[in-house]
Amino acid sequence: MSKRILVVTGGGDCPGLNAVIRGIVKSAKLDGNWEIIGCVESYNGLLKDNIEILPLTEKEVAGIHIKGGTIIKTTNRGGPFQFPVQQSDGSWKTEDRSQLLLQRLDDLGIEAIISIGGDGSQRISLELVKLGVNIVGVPKTIDNDLSCTDFTFGFQTAVQIATEAVDKLVTTAESHNRVFIMEVMGRDAGWIALHTALAGGAEVCIIPEIPYNPNIIAEKIETRYKNGEGFCNIVIAEGAKRMDGEVTGKEPTAVGDQHIKLGGAGDKLKLELEQLGVQHDIRVTVLGHLQRGGVPIAYDRILATAFGVKAFELVKEKKYGNMVVYNHPEITYAPLEKVVEKLNFINPKTNSLLSSAKKLGISFGDKENI
Ligand code: F6P
């Protein structure tokens, strides 16, 4: 009898998800007697009234390493402990369906789950481990904010996309003597913004880890102009914090959605700069989901594929309760408890890339560097 592994992709999609799935399926096939099944739309495929699962054989995964998104779909709402259910009056509430999940895993004879996801997904994994489920995690997020791993897959693709966008904005900013503010993703950590600012040569980089003072940014902008001529490129993370700790976004409206919907940090900064009297023409570009969709770059395909192969190996060795990680040069693993202890923030005091950026004259909107 073959052993069954259930693969789940959870949270926001991310370039490289399909490459992980392919890595799992191909290495399991080579090993021998394994059956890989995909749960459709994160755990929802086993939590809905009608089960939705997909066989994942070499046929389904052929060539998918170059495809963006996830062939088994995903969601960043709900989960087994907070499943959104519509009431007869049309309203929504969440319900704990973890026991139903356990029952269905049992019915299907699932030996182990490989859960490909970010911080929220790995927290769910840990709760399921406590209920006796055999789980191995794989670190996914364009934000690169998961602990214990040098990089999550998807991050480098997002940086590449954002860098190409800065390159384009630099030429138009220069032609029109404009200030361009480009808002990138990065809910809690500013990795995409920092890497993009360095790669694209931006003058200002605003990240959640360093609350910004608009007066300092206004001063920096002026250093870039002489007799009205000049330009300035600013990269701002969506999770940028003002001095009072405020972020820009909307409260979640959908049931099961735990996060504030970030967005508008760039517009907010534009307004602040104008209120401070900055006279130059300021334009805002929001990259949004362009950073998440599409083809993964080679780096992410390689990392994601190696993660998939390692995840299968961990299942084979019954090393459950762990997440695959990249600690250069090794693809290895770390306990889920440690992974979810804290997010991987940029440490403004010790991060060497941030220090290089400051030495280049990139302003972070704080007092240390104008
Ligand atoms: O966690 C990844 C991320 O890209 C965040 O940077 C962003 O806030 C969030 O996903 C947005 O997700 P969605 O638009 O799917 O709700």
Side-chain angles (χ1 to χ4, degrees):
M1 256 261 291
S2 61
K3 289 185 180 171
R4 285 184 148 179
I5 300 176
L6 186 81
V7 179
V8 177
T9 54
D13 71 330
C14 178
L17 280 165
N18 287 323
V20 180
I21 297 172
R22 176 173 167 274
I24 297 166
V25 172
K26 282 183 79 86
S27 54
K29 169 78 184 164
L30 255 190
D31 190 73
N33 227 0
W34 296 88
E35 191 185 347
I36 315 296
I37 296 171
C39 192
V40 176
E41 201 186 277
S42 190
Y43 287 101
N44 286 354
L46 287 191
L47 300 172
K48 287 178 181 169
D49 298 336
N50 297 318
I51 288 181
E52 269 188 272
I53 52 174
L54 287 175
L56 292 172
T57 69
E58 278 196 304
K59 184 167 160 273
E60 280 83 23
V61 303
I64 66 168
H65 55 297
I66 67 169
K67 252 186 102 179
T70 159
I71 61 164
I72 54 175
K73 299 198 181 277
T74 187
T75 177
N76 48 13
R77 286 208 277 139
F81 301 97
Q82 283 187 307
F83 185 77
V85 185
Q86 192 158 28
Q87 307 299 292
S88 47
D89 65 357
S91 64
W92 289 81
K93 69 167 205 192
T94 58
E95 106 188 359
D96 184 347
R97 291 205 170 175
S98 54
Q99 290 308 314
L100 176 69
L101 179 68
L102 297 192
Q103 185 57 54
R104 288 187 165 169
L105 291 174
D106 208 40
D107 295 346
L108 290 169
I110 303 293
E111 169 86 8
I113 296 177
I114 296 179
S115 172
I116 314 168
D119 180 64
S121 304
Q122 304 311 337
R123 282 177 194 281
I124 291 174
S125 299
L126 189 58
E127 289 311 303
L128 290 173
V129 167
K130 289 176 188 160
L131 295 179
V133 181
N134 298 331
I135 297 200
V136 164
V138 177
K140 167 240 68 163
T141 163
I142 63 162
D143 289 5
N144 197 42
D145 60 3
L146 264 174
S147 286
C148 301
T149 185
D150 293 352
F151 291 114
T152 54
F153 73 85
F155 166 65
Q156 300 287 358
T157 301
V159 170
Q160 185 66 33
I161 293 166
T163 300
E164 284 165 17
V166 175
D167 293 348
K168 292 177 172 58
L169 293 179
V170 167
T171 58
T172 176
E174 190 170 12
S175 306
H176 286 268
N177 296 317
R178 279 178 176 153
V179 175
F180 263 92
I181 302 176
M182 189 175 86
E183 182 180 315
V184 296
M185 282 189 172
R187 163 171 292 281
D188 301 293
W191 295 106
I192 298 178
L194 173 61
H195 282 238
T196 301
L198 270 167
E203 284 74 36
V204 180
C205 175
I206 305 299
I207 59 175
E209 291 88 340
I210 304 180
Y212 73 86
N213 179 344
N215 287 290
I216 292 190
I217 302 173
E219 259 181 76
K220 173 71 182 184
I221 291 171
E222 291 315 324
T223 67
R224 298 278 305 159
Y225 284 82
K226 203 168 174 204
N227 302 327
E229 296 233 341
F231 68 97
C232 183
N233 273 280
I234 300 174
V235 178
I236 186 168
E238 59 178 357
K241 286 193 185 69
R242 293 187 282 287
M243 300 301 275
D244 57 7
E246 279 282 299
V247 293
T248 313
K250 293 192 193 89
E251 284 306 319
T253 45
V255 171
D257 200 343
Q258 270 117 57
H259 289 298
I260 167 172
K261 285 275 159 219
L262 293 176
D267 281 323
K268 177 76 190 170
L269 177 60
K270 170 178 156 61
L271 196 70
E272 287 169 325
L273 293 171
E274 285 169 348
Q275 282 166 351
L276 285 172
V278 174
Q279 297 290 317
H280 312 292
D281 190 6
I282 306 175
R283 301 299 176 101
V284 179
T285 299
V286 181
L287 274 196
H289 295 80
L290 285 176
Q291 295 157 96
R292 277 205 338 220
V295 170
I297 62 169
Y299 184 97
D300 280 328
R301 290 184 207 179
I302 297 162
L303 188 64
T305 302
F307 278 174
V309 171
K310 186 71 183 179
F312 168 68
E313 191 183 298
L314 292 183
V315 169
K316 201 178 138 187
E317 292 168 356
K318 297 189 191 299
K319 292 196 171 124
Y320 303 128
N322 291 300
M323 184 181 81
V324 176
V325 297
Y326 175 40
N327 294 154
H328 184 75
E330 305 292 332
I331 303 287
T332 174
Y333 60 94
L336 282 169
E337 282 98 346
K338 185 122 187 20
V339 168
V340 303
E341 238 169 48
K342 60 173 171 41
L343 285 173
N344 174 28
F345 298 112
I346 298 171
N347 185 331
K349 292 202 174 71
T350 59
N351 185 273
S352 60
L353 270 190
L354 192 134
S355 145
S356 304
K358 285 197 163 183
K359 285 177 189 156
L360 273 179
I362 297 178
S363 169
F364 286 82
D366 60 338
K367 60 181 177 328
E368 277 177 48
N369 214 8
I370 290 176

